[in-house]
Amino acid sequence: MTAARLDAPVKVTGRAKYGADHNVPGMVYGYVVLSTVAHAELEAMDVTAAKSAPGVLGVYSPFDPLELRTPVSPLFGETWVPMQTKEVAYYGQAIGFVVAETFEQARDAAMLVDVSYRVRPALTSLEEGLATAEDAPPGRDGTPATFEVLEDGVESFDDALAASPVVVEATYHTATQNHAAMEPHSAVAVWDDGVLTVYSGNQGAHLQAQELASALDLPPEAVHAVNPYVGGAFGGKGRTSAPAFLAAAAAKALDRPVKAALTREQVFTATAGRAATVQKMTLGAERDGTLVALRHDSWCSTDAHRAFVEPTSHGTSREWYATRNLHISQKVVPLNIPPTTFMRAPGEAPGSFALESAIDELAVALDMDPIELRMRNNSTAPPGHDLQWSSKHLDECFQIGAQRFGWAQRRPRGHTDGDWQVGLGTATAMFPALRFPTTVGITLRDDDTAVVATSGADPGTGLLTVLSLVGGESLDIAPEKIEPRLGDSSLPPGGLSGGSTATASVGTAIMIAATKAIDELVALAADPGAPFAGAEVTYADGRVLADGKSMTFGELLRAVGRPALEVTGSSAPGEELTKHSFSSFGAQFCEVRVHQWTREVRVSRMLGVFDTGRIINARAARSQLMGGMIWGLSAALHEGLGIEANGRLANGDFASYLLPVNADIPEVDVHFVEYPDTLHNAVGAKGLGEIGTVGMAAAIANAVHNATGVRVRHIPITIEDLLAEAKPQ
C-alpha cells in the first residue's frame, strides 16, 4: 500500500501543536540551570540575586528542592530525576530551576545563580578510561558480558584462531553522538483539581505518565500525558525529560501552569546521547572465506551512574555470521560525561561499523569479492543458537542490490574520474525484529466511521497513517473512514515507539481488536429485537449480512439505538519466541568520490535493499529507510561530539556539531525484498525504522578504501585522515 501521511498537512502548514506550542492562561516559564564542572559536590548555591530579579516566582536547587522522587519504570528501571543530589557527575548536569513570569526573566535570573563547587578529579576520555573498564551487566536476554561458542574438539578460541589460515585483526573507534532531533525537549505542566496534564514530546505517552506519577507520588490516573506530535526522538525521548519533571513539580508548588524548554545547547548535555566505542575485531578464515573464528571485544563510554550499555558486540557479531567459533565481550568505561542512552539502532549502528569494516578487510586479505564473502558466511541462525531465523532473504538483497548498483563494474582498486578517485563499498545491515505489549481500542460509530486508538507516539515514523491503513484493512472499510488517535495516556496503553516495534506491535493489536469488534457486531445484529434476530449473520465490506439482506454497521447501530460499539485488543510477544529467531535484513551499497588533491569525500550514490517483511505504507517506509541511510552517511563523515578534558562539549550546538545538508546527500535509492513474516506477527511486518542506518557508515569507509587504498578505522572520517596517505592513482 502507498498512502499520504495523515499528519503531513498540519505539519507543513504549522498547525500541528507540539509540546511547547501549548499556552494556557496564567502560564509561567522555567529555565534550567546547568553545572559548569564535570565532577564535584555542590558546596553552595547563592540564589539571593536570582530570587530578587524581576518577575521571578521561584528558584529551586538541591538545597531547596522540588518534591520529586526517582521513578522506577517496568521497561527502563530507574529514571534519573534532576536536583535529587548535591553530586555533580558531568558538565551540563541540571542543578537548578528558575521560574518567572516570562522566559526572558527566567533565563536572565538563571544567570544570577552563583554556584560553589567542591571540585573532584574528572575522567572524561574513553581512551584514558580503558584501563578502568568494567564488565557490562548481562543483556536483557540474559547473555553475559563475555560469551563464547566453540566447535566440538576446540579447547579455546585462541586455538581456533591459530588454526585459521588467514587472520585479520584491527581496532575501530566510533564517536559520541547526539540525537539532534528538531524539537528540543520541553514540557507544559498544568494542574487541575489534583490532576496533572503534561504536554511533552515523548515516545510513549503511557510510559511518561507512569514515570511522572511515580516521581510525584500520584496514582496513575492522576497524570495525563499528551504528545500527539513529536518532533523527532530516535531513542532520546523514550524517558521523561528534565523539563517535564521540573515543570510538573514547579507547577504544583506555585499553583501555576509552567512551561519549560531546553535551549539547543542544553539539549546536548541535559539529555542523553550515543556512547563512544572502541572495538577490537579478530577474524580467522579458511582460504575459501569460510569463517573459522570471530572475536569482537567492545568498550563503550557510559556515565558515572552506568545508566546504559551500547551493546556493539552483542548487537552484531552475536548473530550476524555463521562461524564455527565465536567470542564476544562487552565492557563499559564510566566517565564524567552526560548520560548515554538508546539512539537509532543502539549497538547495531556503531557495532556494524567495526564488524562490516573487518569483513571488508578480510575480503581484501583473501582477494575475494566482499559480497561473495558475506554470502558464503550467511547464517541460518545465531551461532550457538538452535532457533533458526523465521525468514531471511539477505542473499537476495545482495543479489538484487549488486545488479541494480552495477557492482560487476567495481574494480579492486577503484577507478578515477578526472581529479576524483571513485570507489564502491557494501555492508550487511541487520536489526532485531521485536514487539512490545500493546493495547488498541476500536470504536465503531453509527456514522459508519471507526476510531482506532492507542497511547503510543508518532515521532515522525508515520504510525498515525499505519493505524488508518491496518485499521481499515482489518475492519474491511476504507482507510478514510478510520480516525486514528495517538499520543495520549488516556488511550489504551500503546507501548513505546522505539526499537522498530511500533507497526508490528500496534498492527497485531489492531487485528485482534477488529476481530472482537466484528464478532460483537455480528452477535448484536442477531440479538432479539435486532434487525437480523435469530439469523446467521456474517460481515464483509463494513456490512452485516443475513438472509440476502445487508446493512452497514452504522445503520445497525442506529437501528438498535447505540451510538457506538467499543472494544479493546491486546497483543504481546508469545510462544513464537521459543520457536524462531527474528530479524530484519538488508544490504547497503554506496559509491564515494575522493578528490585526489583536497581529499574531500563525497558520497555520490547510495542504495539499500531491505528484507523487512510486509510493507504497510511504501511511501513512509521508503522515507524512513532513506532517513536512516542518510544518518549512516552523517555518522561516517560528519557527526562526532568533542569532549574537552574539563568535560565541556567542544561542539554542543548546531553551529559546530556537523550534520549533513541537502548538498551532502546524493541519489538515495531504496528497494524492498518483500516477504511477509507471519511467523513474527499476524500483520507480517518487521521493523524498518532503524535498520536503514545500520551498515552504511561501514559501506562508506569500505568505499573510501576501495577508492584510495586508505583504511580509516574510525568515524567520522575527516580530510586529515586521507591527507596523510594521499595516493593519487
Side-chain angles (χ1 to χ4, degrees):
M1 291 182 280
T2 297
R5 289 176 57 126
L6 299 181
D7 53 342
V10 293
K11 286 182 174 178
V12 300
T13 57
R15 291 180 287 126
K17 292 185 73 172
Y18 294 83
D21 291 332
H22 290 81
N23 296 300
V24 296
M27 186 175 71
V28 295
Y29 297 80
Y31 193 91
V32 180
V33 179
L34 304 182
S35 67
T36 56
V37 299
H39 191 203
E41 180 183 354
L42 291 173
E43 202 165 50
M45 292 181 67
D46 186 349
V47 299
T48 306
K51 282 187 173 181
S52 60
V56 171
L57 302 171
V59 181
Y60 307 97
S61 74
F63 299 93
D64 184 15
L66 290 160
E67 291 188 20
L68 286 164
R69 62 181 192 174
T70 301
V72 179
S73 162
L75 184 62
F76 296 127
E78 288 191 354
T79 295
W80 185 82
V81 176
M83 302 186 329
Q84 301 303 293
T85 176
K86 297 181 179 67
E87 295 293 316
V88 174
Y90 57 93
Y91 194 114
Q93 176 179 318
I95 58 173
F97 192 58
V98 178
V99 183
E101 294 286 353
T102 69
F103 168 79
E104 291 79 10
Q105 289 173 334
R107 178 198 60 198
D108 293 349
M111 302 302 109
L112 301 176
V113 176
D114 186 14
V115 184
S116 299
Y117 301 95
R118 187 175 293 111
V119 178
R120 296 171 177 168
L123 182 62
T124 60
S125 165
L126 175 58
E127 297 290 339
E128 293 177 6
L130 290 176
T132 63
E134 307 168 357
D135 282 344
R140 290 185 180 275
D141 63 355
T143 303
T146 300
F147 179 86
E148 193 169 76
V149 174
L150 299 176
E151 66 178 322
D152 291 343
V154 175
E155 294 188 4
S156 72
F157 182 87
D158 288 341
D159 289 346
L161 196 64
S164 303
V166 180
V167 174
V168 166
E169 184 173 87
T171 300
Y172 304 87
H173 302 252
T174 67
T176 302
Q177 292 179 304
N178 187 265
H179 297 82
M182 289 185 292
E183 178 196 21
H185 298 65
S186 65
V188 175
V190 184
W191 288 84
D192 184 14
D193 196 24
V195 175
L196 169 66
T197 299
V198 173
Y199 304 92
S200 179
N202 189 270
Q203 290 175 243
H206 199 79
L207 297 172
Q208 180 172 248
Q210 287 177 339
E211 290 193 329
L212 286 169
S214 178
L216 295 161
D217 197 18
L218 294 171
E221 61 272 14
V223 179
H224 182 201
V226 183
N227 61 326
Y229 299 104
V230 183
F234 319 116
K237 294 175 183 171
R239 308 175 89 159
T240 302
S241 65
F245 283 125
L246 296 173
K252 182 179 181 181
L254 297 170
D255 196 24
R256 297 277 296 273
V258 174
K259 175 186 287 188
L262 297 179
T263 66
R264 178 58 63 186
E265 292 84 353
Q266 288 177 333
V267 168
F268 277 83
T269 64
T271 63
R274 194 195 296 278
T277 76
V278 175
Q279 303 173 62
K280 183 178 180 181
M281 300 294 314
T282 308
L283 305 180
E286 304 284 3
R287 297 199 182 278
D288 67 357
T290 302
L291 280 173
V292 175
L294 189 161
R295 180 167 184 152
H296 191 166
D297 296 311
S298 295
W299 296 260
C300 74
S301 59
T302 188
D303 59 277
H305 299 292
R306 300 155 176 79
F308 183 76
V309 178
E310 187 80 25
T312 46
S313 55
H314 288 54
T316 54
S317 296
R318 170 72 178 84
E319 298 185 336
W320 283 27
Y321 289 106
T323 180
R324 303 201 293 267
N325 301 279
L326 173 70
H327 180 99
I328 60 175
S329 70
Q330 180 71 61
K331 293 183 180 293
V332 296
V333 180
L335 301 174
N336 297 112
I337 59 171
T340 58
T341 192
F342 303 96
M343 185 167 167
R344 201 170 202 175
E348 287 81 6
S352 64
F353 172 70
L355 175 59
E356 289 304 291
S357 294
I359 289 290
D360 197 73
E361 295 204 48
L362 178 60
V364 172
L366 292 166
D367 194 23
M368 179 179 290
D369 183 90
I371 292 178
E372 181 184 348
L373 177 61
R374 287 173 169 86
M375 293 177 64
R376 180 157 296 187
N377 293 286
N378 195 4
S379 67
T380 57
H385 200 44
D386 293 333
L387 302 183
Q388 293 194 339
W389 302 113
S390 58
S391 67
K392 183 177 184 181
H393 303 278
L394 180 58
D395 51 353
E396 191 171 340
C397 292
F398 273 114
Q399 290 162 357
I400 291 175
Q403 192 277 325
R404 290 174 66 98
F405 204 68
W407 187 260
Q409 281 70 55
R410 175 185 181 271
R411 301 174 191 172
R413 295 189 178 184
H415 68 278
T416 58
D417 180 10
D419 283 339
W420 295 88
Q421 296 171 295
V422 184
L424 302 185
T426 189
T428 295
M430 285 178 58
F431 192 81
L434 307 169
R435 282 199 292 144
F436 286 153
T438 303
T439 300
V440 169
I442 289 181
T443 302
L444 301 179
R445 301 189 291 204
D446 63 5
D447 62 354
D448 286 314
T449 64
V451 175
V452 178
T454 188
S455 70
D458 187 342
T461 55
L463 183 59
L464 195 74
T465 309
V466 167
L467 261 63
S468 69
L469 294 174
V470 178
E473 179 181 85
S474 301
L475 292 169
D476 208 5
I477 61 176
E480 294 76 21
K481 291 189 174 184
I482 299 291
E483 179 186 336
R485 294 180 184 172
L486 278 172
D488 191 316
S489 64
S490 66
L491 301 174
L496 177 76
S497 282
S500 300
T501 63
T503 296
S505 302
V506 171
T508 307
I510 289 173
M511 295 179 70
I512 293 170
T515 299
K516 290 176 64 175
I518 292 169
D519 288 346
E520 291 194 20
L521 196 69
V522 167
L524 180 65
D527 279 349
F532 301 110
E536 185 173 334
V537 182
T538 58
Y539 176 91
D541 298 322
R543 307 178 71 87
V544 288
L545 308 95
D547 299 331
K549 295 181 290 186
S550 72
M551 59 197 315
T552 67
F553 66 76
E555 291 170 340
L556 172 64
L557 291 174
R558 294 197 297 272
V560 298
R562 290 184 59 171
L565 184 154
E566 299 182 22
V567 300
T568 60
S570 299
S571 174
E575 64 176 9
E576 76 274 7
L577 298 180
T578 65
K579 297 180 178 179
H580 299 282
S581 298
F582 300 98
S583 184
S584 292
F585 304 91
Q588 303 276 29
F589 296 83
C590 74
E591 177 186 80
V592 304
R593 303 168 69 84
V594 182
H595 198 277
Q596 287 196 115
W597 310 113
T598 68
R599 311 313 279 161
E600 172 188 4
V601 180
R602 286 285 178 182
V603 176
S604 46
R605 287 190 295 139
M606 302 164 72
L607 167 66
V609 183
F610 299 99
D611 168 25
T612 58
R614 181 188 172 197
I615 303 302
I616 302 300
N617 186 359
R619 182 182 300 182
R622 181 169 284 105
S623 177
Q624 279 290 292
L625 290 165
M626 287 175 64
M629 293 165 67
I630 291 168
W631 199 331
L633 181 157
S634 185
L637 301 178
H638 299 274
E639 287 188 65
L641 274 173
I643 304 176
E644 298 175 350
N646 67 354
R648 177 184 174 274
L649 298 185
N651 57 335
D653 56 64
F654 274 3
S656 48
Y657 181 76
L658 298 183
L659 294 165
V661 297
N662 284 351
D664 296 306
I665 303 306
E667 170 191 337
V668 182
D669 190 14
V670 172
H671 182 79
F672 301 116
V673 176
E674 192 170 355
Y675 293 91
D677 188 347
T678 54
L679 294 176
H680 180 247
N681 65 84
V683 180
K686 296 191 289 190
L688 55 74
E690 294 170 90
I691 193 174
T693 195
V694 180
M696 183 50 73
I700 290 171
N702 295 340
V704 167
H705 177 266
N706 180 238
T708 66
V710 179
R711 177 67 65 179
V712 183
R713 298 187 177 94
H714 64 258
I715 51 174
I717 299 168
T718 67
I719 287 175
E720 290 81 357
D721 297 321
L722 301 175
L723 276 173
E725 299 184 65
K727 298 177 182 178
Q729 297 179 349

